[in-house]
Amino acid sequence: MAIRHLRTAFASQYQPGQPARLQSGEAFSEPGGDYESLHKQMKRLFNSKPGKKYGRFSDEIGECPFSSWLKDYLEDKQSFGSMTDRLFGQWQELLTGCQEEFQGHLMIVHEALADSEVVYLLILESDSALRFDGHQTLDATDVLSLSRLNLAVRIELDDWRSDNSAENYLTLVHGRGTGEPGELFIRLAGFTNQVDVEKETVTFLDAVEAFAKSSEPEKAGEVRSKAYEFCKEQHALGEPVEIEALSGYLDESEPQRFKEFASKTTELPESGVLHPDHRKVKKLVRIAGSGGGMSVSFSSDLVNQAVYYDRDQDALTITRLPKALREQLQRYLEAREE
């Protein structure tokens, strides 16, 4: 991983109605070292976040000028420092009108990968920690949180500059509870949502399920498992699911078979890319439900092997109980009998 440019600014708004404060840092070129390590950890958090949104830059340049500033920087019409000065100035202006308290570090990173270039905007949060000072007096201090990331945007520069209208080159992390500052961050980035993740999840599940049912009975479970594993791996990388790549993964001997089948049976996007929610895709391999004081979860492969459902009686029979569950039941019944 190679960071071309990086810069941070600490912004705070403790009294709504009063001007927000902002203190910017130096614009670094290829900082390396600890900055690389910090960014690597933030990328891990970014990729692992569920419920990401996908979209493009807003066309409202007047209200969301970041894309214009970024374009000028990439075309060498202004320096990274000048571009981030403008970005930080707008962030301070947005926070000045915020009616909620806020504090956090805004970090922008221009990263050059082996085959692409990416820009990240991230809000780094802080944790409170205790330490002993030089006089051995207990003191409270703030340290960067390496386990939380609730506001961030990734910009795929190559996809954006290709001017392909089918591409969704922005990926947004927008955590719950971020309130008005979260909405202002989205405005700062100029993000506009273009992908219906819920709809694409249903499309993905429908296509895989129909393909599994069309396969030989003994291979249906394998199809579902491989589709889920592929989706999970893509999520870990922070990447969407390309239908062509999935098709080759499901059947190496006939790599186009799933793609052709899905094109006929489901309404796939022209881009050939889906953004399914990996949490809901788990339905392909697990059956789960809870309610009335009960929670049940098991692999779908166990249906009619170790788990039997009687539709007429609405009853579930489970054989081959896990050892830990069996021991808990035995201890509970023994205690009741005493």
Side-chain angles (χ1 to χ4, degrees):
M1 180 174 66
I3 295 176
R4 286 193 174 181
H5 295 285
L6 179 149
R7 195 178 186 189
T8 62
F10 178 76
S12 61
Q13 169 59 288
Y14 299 125
Q15 293 181 303
Q18 297 297 316
R21 295 185 176 184
L22 186 137
Q23 179 65 49
S24 60
E26 179 183 349
F28 291 110
S29 176
E30 299 181 359
D34 292 337
Y35 290 96
E36 291 275 4
S37 298
L38 173 62
H39 181 51
K40 187 175 182 179
Q41 176 59 21
M42 291 300 107
K43 282 180 62 176
R44 286 199 191 101
L45 294 177
F46 186 97
N47 289 341
S48 66
K49 293 292 287 188
K52 290 191 282 287
K53 299 177 182 179
Y54 304 87
R56 302 163 54 81
F57 282 127
S58 170
D59 293 330
E60 299 296 330
I61 301 298
E63 291 190 8
C64 307
F66 172 56
S67 61
S68 176
W69 299 335
L70 181 60
K71 184 174 183 291
D72 285 347
Y73 155 64
L74 295 172
E75 294 177 353
D76 294 325
K77 294 180 180 178
Q78 67 174 330
S79 67
F80 181 78
S82 297
M83 185 263 290
T84 50
D85 280 342
R86 290 180 167 184
L87 179 71
F88 293 162
Q90 189 194 16
W91 185 227
Q92 183 177 18
E93 181 180 327
L94 289 171
L95 289 176
T96 293
C98 183
Q99 298 303 305
E100 297 179 17
E101 292 186 1
F102 171 85
Q103 67 170 18
H105 297 268
L106 174 62
M107 182 167 78
I108 178 169
V109 183
H110 180 186
E111 176 186 41
L113 304 174
D115 56 355
S116 64
E117 290 185 53
V118 182
V119 165
Y120 284 88
L121 283 181
L122 312 107
I123 297 295
L124 307 187
E125 301 179 34
S126 299
D127 290 326
S128 181
L130 295 175
R131 69 181 182 93
F132 285 106
D133 63 17
H135 302 286
Q136 288 301 293
T137 302
L138 197 60
D139 182 34
T141 188
D142 288 334
V143 296
L144 290 176
S145 174
L146 300 180
S147 61
R148 295 199 313 277
L149 181 66
N150 289 303
L151 290 171
V153 165
R154 181 178 65 199
I155 306 155
E156 306 286 351
L157 296 182
D158 294 337
D159 291 342
W160 175 40
R161 290 184 287 191
S162 70
D163 196 28
N164 184 346
S165 61
E167 293 287 352
N168 292 287
Y169 44 79
L170 298 186
T171 305
L172 171 71
V173 168
H174 182 208
R176 293 181 179 178
T178 54
E180 187 182 358
E183 296 301 322
L184 294 176
F185 176 79
I186 293 174
R187 183 175 168 186
L188 176 73
F191 177 89
T192 182
N193 198 8
Q194 294 287 319
V195 175
D196 187 337
V197 174
E198 186 72 26
K199 180 181 178 181
E200 294 202 0
T201 301
V202 172
T203 299
F204 178 85
L205 289 172
D206 288 348
V208 172
E209 191 60 44
F211 186 68
K213 289 180 179 178
S214 72
S215 305
E216 298 175 9
E218 63 273 14
K219 292 187 176 181
E222 180 183 350
V223 168
R224 297 184 182 97
S225 296
K226 292 183 73 173
Y228 170 67
E229 289 300 324
F230 185 87
C231 184
K232 187 170 69 170
E233 289 174 7
Q234 291 301 103
H235 170 74
L237 295 171
E239 299 291 339
V241 172
E242 293 187 7
I243 300 301
E244 187 160 1
L246 173 60
S247 186
Y249 185 79
L250 292 178
D251 191 340
E252 295 181 0
S253 61
E254 295 184 64
Q256 294 296 313
R257 193 161 71 91
F258 172 74
K259 179 182 177 182
E260 292 172 356
F261 178 90
S263 298
K264 295 176 182 177
T265 59
T266 54
E267 188 176 341
L268 297 176
E270 293 182 7
S271 63
V273 176
L274 290 173
H275 305 77
D277 186 332
H278 84 289
R279 297 169 299 179
K280 296 180 180 178
V281 170
K282 200 170 185 178
K283 293 177 181 178
L284 289 171
V285 295
R286 295 202 69 79
I287 295 175
S290 60
M294 182 184 301
S295 179
V296 181
S297 174
F298 52 86
S299 170
S300 57
D301 291 339
L302 296 178
V303 175
N304 293 330
Q305 294 189 42
V307 179
Y308 302 88
Y309 177 56
D310 185 331
R311 295 183 181 181
D312 295 333
Q313 299 296 322
D314 194 25
L316 198 67
T317 301
I318 303 175
T319 62
R320 296 186 308 189
L321 291 181
K323 182 179 178 181
L325 177 59
R326 183 170 59 250
E327 291 175 350
Q328 288 182 64
L329 288 169
Q330 289 173 349
R331 287 196 297 269
Y332 176 77
L333 292 174
E334 289 170 0
R336 291 284 299 270
E337 292 172 355
E338 292 178 359

